[in-house]
Each structure stands twice: as C-alpha cells, then as structure tokens.
Amino acid sequence: MSIKSIVVIVRDDKALEPMLKAAVGLTRRLEGHLTVGHIVPPAHMPAGAIGRAAAMEYVTEADETADVKADRLHSRVKAVCEGHLSSWQWRVEHGDELEAANRLVEMADLVIIEQRVQGVIEDLMSTDVVEHLLAHGDCPVLMLPIDWQGEHIGEKILVAWKPTREAKRAVHDAMPLLARAQDVFVLAASGRRTDAAAGSDLAGYLAHHGVRAQIAGESDDGDGDITATARNHGCDLVIMGAFQRSSLTELVFGGATKFMIRHSKLPVLLRH
C-alpha cells in the first residue's frame, strides 16, 4: 500500500501549528497530497433564548461567527502550507462532528487528528473522533498528542505487536513509513506458546519488505510496556492495532487502545 492522500483535521486551538507542521512534513516525505479539513458544528440555541425570532437571530449570529473563524483559520493554514507543498487543499465541512469527519476521510489513505483534551466535560461526554474513525473509517488514524512539539514523526518506530487482524492491518498500512524509518523496534505481546522468539514472525515479514526490525522484548503489561519501551528507545511513533479485543470490551473495561488514545505522549498510528 502507498500513502498518498493524507487528511489532517484541525481545530482553531494551540495545537494547530504543530499539527500542520507534522502533516506537512509527512506529506512531503511520502510525496503525497494533503487535505486540511475543518469541521464547523451546528449552532445550538441557548437555553435562555425566548421566541422564534430570538432563536433564529442567535443561530444566524453563531453561524457567521463560525464562518469568520473558519476564514481566519484558512489564512493560518495557507501561510504554513503554501511554499512547502505542491499539492494541498483546504476543506470545510458543516454539521455533526462525527458525520463531517466521515465525509472528510472518505478517500484518505491516512488521517491525522489531535488527541482530545481530557477534563473538558463536553469532550468526556461526547464520542471521541479518533475512536469513531477507527471503528467506522477505512484507513489508519495517526493521533498526535495535544502537547506534541516533535520535529519528526517516523524516524524511530515501535510496533506494538500481537498476531491479530488489527495489528497486521496496522503494519501493512504503515509500510511506507516503516520503509523510510531509520530504526524499527518490535515489542511483542507475551503468552504465545511457540519455539520462535516473540516478534520474530513480524521481523521476518518486515525483512521481506526491506525493513530491518530489532526485537525490543516481550510485553505482558500492555499500555505500560508500550510507552516505556518507546521512550527507552527514543521512538517518535508507535504503530499498533486498535481494539484488538472486541471494541465493546475495550469501551467498557478499557484497554491498550483506550489508554493510548487518552494518555499517549507520542504519536500513535492505529488501525482497526
């Protein structure tokens, strides 16, 4: 698989510049096309609005404010992308956030999105866009931490490996990144009863694709081992399958996917 159509979904917040910098860098590295998408949610009538006219006036005012913000955001995006990319576009989608996200990523090979801020009640009560795109989208999702300021993504990669459908799809879809990495490490889930060393199956597969991978060890602690191993090896990207138990089980009881989505301090490429 090649990664040529890249979509980054941006919001008007402090993460914009790091998000764009990462997206532009990856797009240049992969010689692809970048779509910078922004979602304008519908305006909601405040509880104190009285009467149809007051409600309509509020909604109209809110829509105009959202459009002004989108135009300002477009100018900031243009300043970053022009001169650095030969192929890019700006796209605004209006409506429900999850439905709008679906429309933005319909033809994407990779979608880049920021980690949702924790502790904001509206965010905690709403469906996470990352989780939604993993469950309903058809491409890998690269999630960037809210405080990410790294210069590069994909120079040193850790693959959190277990022989599941989701992990195999993550590795397959990320092959263009793996092929360009300086170092690739494999952290294999423990518990398999085979004569071969844990992770050697993936290392052999990657070797067939010209990727030399080093076995970083075995993990029986899931998310804790993933973050510690990535940090110890200086990795700037983690690749892993998402919801490798049932998504319902992880939704209710948590798991490595949920932990990484909520708490990772490194970029994570996930595939369901």
Side-chain angles (χ1 to χ4, degrees):
M1 173 186 172
S2 61
I3 299 176
K4 294 298 182 182
S5 178
I6 301 168
V7 174
V8 59
I9 301 177
V10 298
R11 301 201 288 185
D12 189 9
D13 59 19
K14 66 179 182 180
L16 176 64
E17 276 73 22
M19 288 276 293
L20 284 177
K21 186 175 181 180
V24 167
L26 275 179
T27 303
R28 286 170 59 90
R29 196 173 180 194
L30 296 167
E31 301 178 330
H33 170 83
L34 179 65
T35 297
V36 183
H38 176 59
I39 298 171
V40 178
H44 296 289
M45 183 179 66
I50 301 175
R52 180 182 179 86
M56 289 300 295
E57 181 180 352
Y58 175 84
V59 170
T60 300
E61 213 172 276
D63 285 341
E64 290 175 352
T65 301
D67 288 338
V68 169
K69 288 182 177 179
D71 288 342
R72 184 175 66 239
L73 188 60
H74 181 204
S75 297
R76 294 172 65 191
V77 168
K78 186 176 180 180
V80 174
C81 292
E82 276 199 345
H84 293 91
L85 292 176
S86 60
S87 181
W88 75 279
Q89 69 182 103
W90 166 254
R91 182 174 165 187
V92 176
E93 287 287 344
H94 293 76
D96 175 79
E97 185 177 29
L98 302 185
E99 293 178 1
N102 286 341
R103 294 192 295 272
L104 282 172
V105 306
E106 280 177 341
M107 302 304 294
D109 297 322
L110 175 69
V111 58
I112 305 172
I113 191 166
E114 70 177 297
Q115 192 176 43
R116 187 57 60 89
V117 177
Q118 296 302 294
V120 179
I121 188 65
E122 291 84 357
D123 287 343
L124 291 173
M125 294 180 67
S126 64
T127 301
D128 191 283
V129 179
V130 175
E131 295 177 31
H132 174 79
L133 291 176
L134 285 171
H136 301 284
D138 195 31
C139 69
V141 174
L142 174 58
M143 186 202 72
L144 299 188
I146 54 176
D147 55 356
W148 177 250
Q149 297 291 333
E151 290 293 323
H152 305 286
I153 295 177
E155 296 290 339
K156 293 188 176 185
I157 298 175
L158 176 71
V159 181
W161 174 248
K162 64 168 61 176
T164 64
R165 179 183 67 93
E166 294 81 7
K168 293 173 185 175
R169 294 180 75 181
V171 169
H172 176 267
D173 289 356
M175 195 60 72
L177 293 172
L178 291 163
R180 290 169 171 80
Q182 292 179 3
D183 295 294
V184 175
F185 303 94
V186 175
L187 178 67
S190 60
R192 298 188 68 201
R193 297 295 180 260
T194 64
D195 294 333
S200 61
D201 51 350
L202 176 61
Y205 171 78
L206 291 173
H208 296 319
H209 291 269
V211 177
R212 181 179 177 275
Q214 305 172 54
I215 307 298
E218 295 185 44
S219 167
D220 56 8
D221 184 35
D223 42 55
D225 282 347
I226 294 171
T227 54
T229 303
R231 184 171 57 250
N232 291 340
H233 286 84
C235 295
D236 53 30
L237 177 63
V238 174
I239 294 173
M240 60 185 286
F243 302 125
Q244 298 181 83
R245 299 183 290 175
S246 74
S247 55
L248 178 60
T249 300
E250 291 217 15
L251 179 65
V252 175
F253 298 106
T257 304
K258 178 76 72 173
F259 179 90
M260 296 299 285
I261 288 174
R262 299 295 188 187
H263 304 292
S264 179
K265 300 299 183 182
L266 289 173
V268 186
L269 187 146
L270 301 124
R271 186 69 159 100
H272 182 52

